Amino acid sequence: MADLRVNFAGIQSPNPFWLASAPPTNSGYQVQRAFEAGWGGAVWKTLGEPILNVSSRFAGTHFNGQRVAGFNNIELITDRPLEENLKEIYETKKRFSNHAVIASLMVEPKQEKWHEIVKRVQDVGVDGFELNFGCPHGMAERGMGSASGQVPELVEKQTYWAKEAAKVPVIVKLTPNITDITATAYAAVQGGADAISMINTINSLAGVDLDSWNTIPHVAGKGAHGGYCGPAVKPIALNMVAECARHPEINVPISGIGGISTWKDAVEFMLMGAGSVQVCTAAMHHGFSIVEDMIDGLNNYLDSKGIAALDGLIGQSVEKYSDWGNLDLNYKIVARINNDVCINCNKCHIACEDTSHQCIDMLTSENGNAYLEVREEDCVGCNLCSIVCPVDGAIDMVEIPNGEPMTWNERQAAIKLPICNS
Amino acid sequence: MNLNRVKNKTISLDNLRTNFQEIEPDLTPKEAIEESNRCLYCYDAPCIKACPTSINIPSFIKKIASGNLKGSARVIMESNPVGASCARVCPTEELCEGACVLNNASLPIMIGNLQRHATNWAIKNNEQLFQAGEATGKSVAIIGGGPAGLSAARELARLGYEVTIFEAKDKAGGLDTYGIVSFRLPQEISLWEVEQVEKLGVKIQTNTKVGKDIKAEEIISNYDAVVLAIGMSKVPMLGIEGEEAEGVLDAIEFVEGTKTPPLDQEFIGKKVVVIGAGNTAIDAATCSVRLGAGDVKMIYRRTEKEMTAYEFEYEFAKQDGVEFRWLTQPKRIIQDEAGKVKALECIRMELGEPDDSGRRRPTPIPGSEFTMEVDAVIKAIGQTRYVHLIEEFGLEHNKGIVKIDAATHQTSNPKVYAAGDVIFGDGQGEAMVVTAAQQGKLTAHAIHKQFITNEATLESV
Ligand SMILES: Cc1cc2nc3c(=O)[nH]c(=O)nc-3n(C[C@H](O)[C@H](O)[C@H](O)COP(=O)(O)OP(=O)(O)OC[C@H]3O[C@@H](n4cnc5c(N)ncnc54)[C@H](O)[C@@H]3O)c2cc1C
Ligand SMILES: Cc1cc2nc3c(=O)[nH]c(=O)nc-3n(C[C@H](O)[C@H](O)[C@H](O)COP(=O)(O)O)c2cc1C
Ligand code: SF4
């Protein structure tokens, strides 16, 4: 059994699995049930004002029979009065002193507003704050959430104001609705953030109803963009975490959020630098009990790798994430089809023929059996055939020797060298 | 068993062993991933309630989907110490799969096969899934190393008891090892489960028949508690003429003969008649087919409707080419000069008024006798009880069904508990591996509770 405890920027929790600030953390009842189920921490549903909301709030993206490949919402921050939330935070922390209770906050970008809310919440006892600079709808129209999260100066200033009043660690939660997330991450660090978390939801419209022509979801026949999350956003979130993790001037812990549904997703985020992970959609889809397999699966994985604690995992893949210019242009892989495993659906052939480099031949053997073969000299190693292949192990991408490594940057340097000398 | 997945249906006469290999192939990794992702992960899931051992089925399936196979196997074996065998022998359409909510929406999840997939992983990777608990200093003797005995032993060892199993046979596992046909349950699966229990420090004293090699009293006085898990005995006598003839076989012994090599070549091309239409009768018939018999008939004095075999077993036997003779009762076994079975005289029956069991009582039609030529007659009309041993233990019983307190599994001697087929009957459970396992587990917990309560009382004195 590995040690799964985390110390995230000074916030202790029995394991790295936290519920993200969202409906699952809307009340003391829910957060306490979650802790009973095994969650290590919870970021309370964002506190702030005003208390209002819409009815018809969520929409799911179902993909080929699998439900909730993605999830879209147009709801606001907490719909419950601050006093009630504070009372329940206090009770929850009293019952679960070893679990991490983090309060998510959002107020107008004014110094006194930040001071006021930080102090009030701090008084009931929380382990940390998360500043919600990410909500893409509703609050943004009033200069909060992602509206302020998209402006690095505002991120820096508000973080600074929160830090002025905070005695516990402050995490800044970033919006992905921005071209370069490291710009706002850096601003948060400049403002004194103890940690950053990402991602909040991505601007989205889930769909349009083919009969009523209404948006999905709609509120009395009108729609507005929502925030997208769930499995579909994982690659976007993972990249943003990795970009921040490898940035030389962003040296604070990162809490990874976005599409995490299993222990495997969590391992990937941790390898890319996340010191804790947060989950919303997966819990909304299946209930709190999913954390049991997240913990068990992570434990068994660490045991199988001989890793005793999460330090052995966190950030281990960060140095492998680089710039395109550092990739070896001479590295070559080709597809190889294992005919004993192949089921002859020919999907790889047509994918390559129509949309890649026309190098998978459909052949017939001497005894009349159809088989597929890659002309390796024409294969560019794009992976497409192995991606569309429905059977594990039918197509391997194998490395073949191809000369000395040479990156784009090295190539450019080599070309430039004589010019400089002249 | 999922008959649609059985691919190789041909019988080899050259190599009988191939006929006894597991007939339903393992799920491929692709099948396992697709099927496990199809599971809805229901809350308060009906499949859990339908499993006599209450395996957390959505949890183990979710773990297959997430790639946590060790965790998956552990969830299964935690609730059911013979979960690898049960994955193969449980009548899942009557239990977990029958309760799956997808029965109405599409097709039920292949729970049995997914359970097999996860436990196969543990077997292949030689994982020890559980550890012995801290020693309590108390000892328990278990008589019989079948599913009930093993299950009790596993739980007691995890609770820190020093456990000794006394087993009459050469190997433990009970009917899982010797009684259930190899092509559904290969012996090595059952033996892996035995090994899992042994690795917890449980002593298994094989080739030791209690009542003969060691006295009941001796066991009662040497241990702090005793669990009687001896199962049931041989098939009863038919009570007809010629029953002692050579070629008249006990179905359970007959199946046992196919569990360990070498296989008997004597049945190739022969005519076999199986008497009975329950689960064991089906097993005897399908084993006969796999031993190369040329003609296999099952005769039953009632009709298709009253047969106790499961629907899938009946289908399977039909696919194997077994013929059924309903409303037929054996009257006399006719022997040749050498005392070998030659023919079976039968009489036709008709159904009358319902009897105590609610089934219509069959009565012979006078003058309808006829004979069938046969080379072997296999009796599969139920099992007798180890009445003698039960009496040696001095336990109250009803025709060999040991009486217990349903809450504690205690017999009339409070130090002796009983679980499994030895208490089956009188409305106590069903004779299934999974119920035996559950009863063994409950017995272990009851013993533990008893000791804890005793200690608490002592301390408070
Ligand atoms: C042919 C056949 C097919 C079956 N098929 C299925 C099936 O497909 N699915 C299913 O769920 N169930 C099936 N069953 C029923 C199932 O096998 C039993 O319900 C189950 O094995 C009962 O477990 P048990 O531990 O009580 O008894 P057993 O499995 O009978 O084990 C009892 C053990 O006690 C030992 N023993 C007996 N006397 C003594 C003694 N005096 N001293 C020491 N040891 C002793 C025996 O050797 C044996 O190992 C089948 C039964 C038979 C006979
Ligand atoms: C219905 C809903 C409401 C949310 N409300 C908040 C919120 O109040 N504050 C916040 O910081 N994030 C909020 N989020 C974003 C989540 O905390 C999280 O960042 C996002 O859903 C990505 O994680 P996931 O893919 O695991 O769902 C909300 C998400 C959803 C689906
Ligand atoms: S889940 Fe259904 S019942 Fe519950 S609040 Fe939402 S719409 Fe209402």
Side-chain angles (χ1 to χ4, degrees):
Chain A
M1 283 272 165
D3 182 356
L4 297 190
R5 282 176 303 174
V6 293
N7 176 350
F8 181 86
I11 302 170
Q12 317 282 338
S13 80
N15 64 54
F17 301 105
W18 299 354
L19 282 172
S21 173
T25 58
N26 204 38
S27 66
Y29 170 75
Q30 290 167 284
V31 173
Q32 293 177 29
R33 272 174 72 84
F35 287 165
E36 279 163 9
W39 292 91
V43 185
W44 211 272
K45 173 73 180 169
T46 305
L47 308 174
E49 292 189 323
I51 311 295
L52 50 84
N53 224 320
V54 288
S55 182
S56 194
R57 302 182 183 180
F58 312 152
T61 309
H62 311 310
F63 188 71
N64 295 347
Q66 286 284 341
R67 296 190 82 79
V68 196
F71 194 80
N72 175 77
N73 85 88
I74 54 170
E75 80 165 24
L76 299 186
I77 59 173
T78 187
D79 51 13
R80 305 171 62 239
L82 185 62
E83 296 68 41
E84 264 177 47
N85 276 311
L86 292 181
K87 191 170 142 262
E88 292 172 17
I89 289 175
Y90 171 76
E91 283 161 5
T92 305
K93 193 60 212 172
K94 216 165 96 184
R95 253 193 84 195
F96 293 91
S97 58
N98 294 328
H99 290 64
V101 176
I102 294 142
S104 170
L105 306 177
M106 183 196 285
V107 290
E108 284 169 61
K110 292 186 183 137
Q111 186 181 31
E112 66 277 11
K113 292 274 180 194
W114 281 105
H115 283 186
E116 186 195 328
I117 191 137
V118 165
K119 285 183 188 143
R120 279 193 73 183
V121 178
Q122 199 155 250
D123 282 346
V124 300
V126 287
D127 299 298
F129 289 109
E130 187 180 77
L131 314 186
N132 178 354
F133 295 156
C135 187
H137 45 260
M139 309 310 281
E141 286 81 336
R142 281 170 275 138
M144 293 182 268
S146 67
S148 61
Q150 286 161 337
V151 184
E153 296 74 40
L154 278 178
V155 170
E156 179 177 338
K157 207 175 255 157
Q158 296 186 89
T159 307
Y160 186 78
W161 292 333
K163 278 293 288 179
E164 281 178 332
K167 299 192 190 100
V168 291
V170 171
I171 307 167
V172 173
K173 183 169 180 179
L174 301 174
T175 174
N177 298 312
I178 185 168
T179 316
D180 178 6
I181 191 120
T182 62
T184 44
Y186 179 71
V189 174
Q190 290 302 298
D194 299 289
I196 48 178
S197 59
M198 69 204 68
I199 58 174
N200 210 310
T201 54
I202 305 173
N203 288 350
S204 61
L205 169 56
V208 181
D209 185 273
L210 295 193
D211 294 319
S212 66
W213 300 354
N214 276 331
T215 59
I216 303 173
H218 73 89
V219 177
K222 283 246 163 42
H225 80 260
Y228 204 45
C229 53
V233 309
K234 185 189 120 184
I236 298 167
L238 190 57
N239 169 60
M240 289 184 168
V241 167
E243 287 295 356
C244 289
R246 77 187 184 94
H247 193 289
E249 282 162 294
I250 302 173
N251 292 316
V252 293
I254 304 170
S255 186
I257 320 168
I260 295 167
S261 313
T262 66
W263 63 270
K264 280 184 173 169
D265 298 327
V267 168
E268 291 178 58
F269 274 84
M270 285 191 249
L271 284 171
M272 275 302 168
S276 76
V277 292
Q278 299 184 30
V279 177
C280 165
T281 303
M284 291 181 77
H285 190 182
H286 298 297
F288 291 147
S289 68
I290 57 163
V291 75
E292 191 275 329
D293 183 52
M294 290 183 170
I295 295 170
D296 185 44
L298 177 60
N299 240 320
N300 288 337
Y301 172 77
L302 293 175
D303 286 354
S304 73
K305 296 273 174 208
I307 300 172
L310 291 177
D311 295 347
L313 193 66
I314 295 167
Q316 294 300 316
S317 294
V318 174
E319 62 158 2
K320 292 175 185 277
Y321 204 52
S322 182
D323 294 319
W324 198 90
N326 294 327
L327 306 185
D328 176 9
L329 298 171
N330 285 341
Y331 177 73
K332 185 164 168 63
I333 55 169
V334 296
R336 224 165 256 173
I337 297 172
N338 301 313
N339 292 109
D340 47 337
V341 181
C342 171
I343 58 172
N344 290 85
C345 67
N346 300 330
K347 287 195 76 72
C348 58
H349 165 82
I350 202 61
C352 188
E353 197 70 15
D354 285 356
T355 67
S356 193
H357 288 72
Q358 301 79 43
C359 49
I360 300 182
D361 294 329
M362 291 175 71
L363 305 168
T364 306
S365 71
E366 277 169 18
N367 42 23
N369 293 333
Y371 72 101
L372 294 149
E373 195 170 75
V374 178
R375 285 193 320 280
E376 292 185 2
E377 62 279 18
D378 296 330
C379 172
V380 299
C382 74
N383 296 334
L384 178 63
C385 52
S386 70
I387 291 167
V388 301
C389 177
V391 181
D392 281 342
I395 302 183
D396 291 329
M397 299 303 303
V398 294
E399 184 180 342
I400 54 174
N402 191 36
E404 288 297 300
M406 163 75 79
T407 67
W408 167 263
N409 291 343
E410 285 163 354
R411 183 170 169 273
Q412 291 308 94
I415 298 168
K416 279 196 194 119
L417 218 53
I419 304 169
C420 294
N421 284 348
S422 65
Chain B
M1 194 165 45
N2 188 337
L3 292 177
N4 293 330
R5 293 189 71 258
V6 174
K7 294 208 168 96
N8 182 12
K9 288 179 179 154
T10 54
I11 302 288
S12 161
L13 294 183
D14 305 326
N15 187 357
L16 295 181
R17 284 196 73 165
T18 59
N19 304 338
F20 286 87
Q21 270 151 20
E22 207 167 5
I23 42 170
E24 190 178 347
D26 292 347
L27 293 180
T28 63
K30 180 175 161 61
E31 278 178 302
I33 284 298
E34 287 174 359
E35 192 65 2
S36 59
N37 278 298
R38 218 164 60 78
C39 169
L40 300 179
Y41 194 66
C42 298
Y43 176 69
D44 200 19
C47 52
I48 304 180
K49 291 181 211 150
C51 169
T53 58
S54 308
I55 295 177
N56 189 338
I57 293 161
S59 166
F60 95 71
I61 294 180
K62 182 107 189 151
K63 285 171 195 283
I64 294 175
S66 87
N68 177 12
L69 283 147
K70 179 175 178 177
S72 180
R74 208 170 180 283
V75 167
I76 295 163
M77 300 300 287
E78 168 95 46
S79 295
N80 183 343
V82 291
S85 291
C86 280
R88 295 158 164 89
V89 306
C90 274
T92 51
E93 43 285 276
E94 317 274 327
L95 303 172
C96 51
E97 290 175 16
C100 177
V101 297
L102 288 177
N103 273 293
N104 304 324
S106 60
L107 287 171
I109 301 294
M110 290 192 264
I111 298 170
N113 271 322
L114 287 170
Q115 185 169 325
R116 180 152 73 118
H117 181 76
T119 48
N120 273 355
W121 183 91
I123 294 173
K124 267 190 213 109
N125 289 278
N126 202 17
E127 288 282 351
Q128 176 62 25
L129 298 172
F130 302 95
Q131 271 76 47
E134 211 178 300
T136 60
K138 296 262 187 270
S139 65
V140 181
I142 296 178
I143 331 261
L150 284 175
S151 174
R154 208 281 306 264
E155 288 302 273
L156 286 165
R158 286 179 73 199
L159 291 167
Y161 291 83
E162 196 188 317
V163 183
T164 308
I165 296 180
F166 295 94
E167 170 53 57
K169 297 227 182 256
D170 190 34
K171 293 187 179 104
L175 290 169
D176 284 353
T177 299
Y178 292 108
I180 299 180
V181 294
S182 305
F183 48 90
R184 286 181 61 208
L185 178 60
Q187 205 174 51
E188 63 266 21
I189 305 300
S190 169
L191 296 181
W192 174 75
E193 290 166 340
V194 172
E195 196 186 302
Q196 286 279 309
V197 174
E198 266 182 316
K199 282 192 183 153
L200 298 175
V202 170
K203 263 188 274 158
I204 305 186
Q205 219 163 297
T206 51
N207 297 312
T208 309
K209 187 163 186 171
V210 176
K212 184 169 150 255
D213 301 318
I214 178 166
K215 291 266 150 277
E217 299 154 18
E218 199 178 319
I219 292 184
I220 295 181
S221 55
N222 286 351
Y223 292 85
D224 296 312
V226 180
V227 180
L228 193 66
I230 52 177
M232 290 189 277
S233 182
K234 288 180 196 294
V235 176
M237 297 300 275
L238 293 164
I240 59 173
E241 187 187 327
E243 205 168 342
E244 67 295 343
E246 191 189 331
V248 179
L249 307 167
D250 170 317
I252 295 169
E253 284 170 8
F254 170 72
V255 172
E256 185 174 335
T258 66
K259 289 287 282 187
T260 25
L263 289 165
D264 197 337
Q265 304 282 325
E266 288 299 304
F267 287 85
I268 297 178
K270 297 285 166 61
K271 291 195 182 71
V272 177
V273 165
V274 178
I275 300 172
N279 322 95
T280 306
I282 299 272
D283 286 347
T286 51
C287 273
S288 304
V289 172
R290 279 172 174 66
L291 285 174
D295 179 285
V296 182
K297 289 191 182 68
M298 292 183 62
I299 66 170
Y300 184 45
R301 62 202 176 106
R302 302 175 195 249
T303 73
E304 199 172 339
K305 266 212 231 91
E306 289 85 20
M307 74 188 285
T308 53
Y310 297 114
E311 187 61 34
F312 78 90
E313 290 179 311
Y314 181 36
E315 269 315 306
F316 178 59
K318 284 197 284 192
Q319 284 187 14
D320 256 12
V322 173
E323 289 176 36
F324 291 80
R325 294 283 181 269
W326 310 111
L327 293 169
T328 304
Q329 176 153 293
K331 252 192 109 173
R332 184 163 69 97
I333 293 166
I334 302 162
Q335 323 176 21
D336 64 12
E337 310 76 52
K340 277 203 65 177
V341 173
K342 198 172 85 177
L344 181 67
E345 186 185 307
C346 302
I347 184 160
R348 293 207 198 286
M349 311 290 280
E350 61 186 354
L351 292 182
E353 292 304 307
D355 63 11
D356 309 342
S357 70
R359 300 182 297 179
R360 291 173 67 193
R361 187 193 301 278
T363 45
I365 303 173
S368 66
E369 287 85 354
F370 65 100
T371 51
M372 303 188 220
E373 264 185 43
V374 294
D375 302 304
V377 173
I378 304 177
K379 304 182 290 180
I381 52 161
Q383 282 177 271
T384 59
R385 308 279 177 163
Y386 292 114
V387 178
H388 190 76
L389 185 63
I390 292 164
E391 285 178 350
E392 193 180 317
F393 272 95
L395 307 179
E396 275 178 33
H397 67 93
N398 175 16
K399 296 187 193 132
I401 304 169
V402 173
K403 288 193 181 162
I404 56 154
D405 173 335
T408 62
H409 277 256
Q410 265 165 319
T411 64
S412 55
N413 177 347
K415 204 176 167 182
V416 182
Y417 297 72
D421 277 359
V422 74
I423 61 167
F424 160 64
D426 290 350
Q428 267 165 174
E430 261 203 78
M432 288 190 291
V433 175
V434 67
T435 27
Q438 175 65 3
Q439 289 170 357
K441 207 171 86 185
L442 292 179
T443 302
H445 297 164
I447 291 173
H448 185 55
K449 199 169 158 204
Q450 187 68 47
F451 282 135
I452 287 181
T453 327
N454 286 353
E455 254 161 44
T457 338
L458 281 182
E459 270 165 28
S460 63
V461 170

